[in-house]
Amino acid sequence: MLMLSLVLIFAASTTLAASFQATALTSLQSDRHRSQPSRLVNPKLLFSTMNDPSDINIKPESPRHAHCDLPGDPSLILTTNVDLGDAKGDILKQLSALVAASTGKPESYVAVCITDNASMVFGGSDAPLALGCVYSLGAINMANNGKIQSGVTDALESYGVSENRIYINFFDMPRECVGWNRATFAG
């Protein structure tokens, strides 16, 4: 009797799991018809342990935009609490050249924004500091990031910003998350 009960419980749980998988897949497929960007998803992703990278099957359904083959638009957004004064324009140009040289991308694609005289604290202190973000389609790696970090430090050192008070985050952006010229780089 116990064996029959165990068999029935196993059969019921297997049926329930299959029903859950089918419901989740149907729900996922119906979501594709909404206004959200559609993606093809491998059903194994819903229930895999994600140990096998080949399980990932995400592909855009729209044709590629004419600008998809451009290398991207690296940008540096830097905020500091020091006054850069009349040298701000020169520092912008210096950092633009730095980002281009470090990423290997044409400077005509690089954007740099600096906000100085900001109200900021780092480690509970308002001593001179800088916070920054670098966004790029590719070219984000340890060597390039180190060059940018070092170059920003060199540019701000004469303003009293020490190297241990400059924090920069680096982001390798997916093409669909970068917009330019009325479209994203994905299309």
Side-chain angles (χ1 to χ4, degrees):
M1 186 69 176
L2 178 62
M3 185 61 129
L4 179 61
S5 296
L6 290 175
V7 169
L8 289 175
I9 290 171
F10 176 76
S13 65
T14 303
T15 304
L16 182 60
S19 172
F20 173 74
Q21 286 180 352
T23 302
L25 185 56
T26 302
S27 172
L28 178 66
Q29 289 171 340
S30 68
D31 284 347
R32 290 182 52 210
H33 299 292
R34 296 191 181 131
S35 62
Q36 308 245 343
S38 59
R39 294 176 178 226
L40 302 176
V41 177
N42 183 335
K44 290 193 293 184
L45 281 178
L46 297 173
F47 307 100
S48 75
T49 59
M50 293 299 291
N51 290 330
D52 183 3
S54 67
D55 283 349
I56 298 174
N57 183 18
I58 300 174
K59 299 176 185 170
E61 291 183 354
S62 60
R64 290 173 54 92
H65 188 272
H67 298 292
C68 286
D69 295 321
L70 293 176
D73 182 26
S75 60
L76 166 63
I77 301 170
L78 190 64
T79 306
T80 182
N81 61 349
V82 299
D83 184 358
L84 300 177
D86 294 335
K88 187 173 180 178
D90 292 335
I91 294 171
L92 283 164
K93 291 176 184 175
Q94 176 186 351
L95 295 180
S96 178
L98 169 72
V99 170
S102 299
T103 60
K105 296 188 179 188
E107 190 171 3
S108 61
Y109 294 172
V110 175
V112 176
C113 174
I114 298 177
T115 302
D116 61 349
N117 295 312
S119 298
M120 305 171 66
V121 295
F122 184 2
S125 168
D126 64 354
L129 71 118
L131 299 175
C133 295
V134 175
Y135 301 93
S136 182
L137 298 173
I140 297 294
N141 58 55
M142 188 167 44
N144 294 352
N145 300 354
K147 291 175 192 174
I148 293 170
Q149 181 75 33
S150 181
V152 169
T153 301
D154 292 344
L156 297 178
E157 197 170 43
S158 64
Y159 295 90
V161 183
S162 63
E163 62 187 26
N164 66 344
R165 306 252 324 142
I166 301 172
Y167 202 85
I168 301 176
N169 293 292
F170 296 86
F171 300 96
D172 193 353
M173 300 299 295
R175 298 184 84 74
E176 64 270 14
C177 293
V178 181
W180 174 70
N181 203 22
R182 295 183 184 247
T184 69
F185 282 92

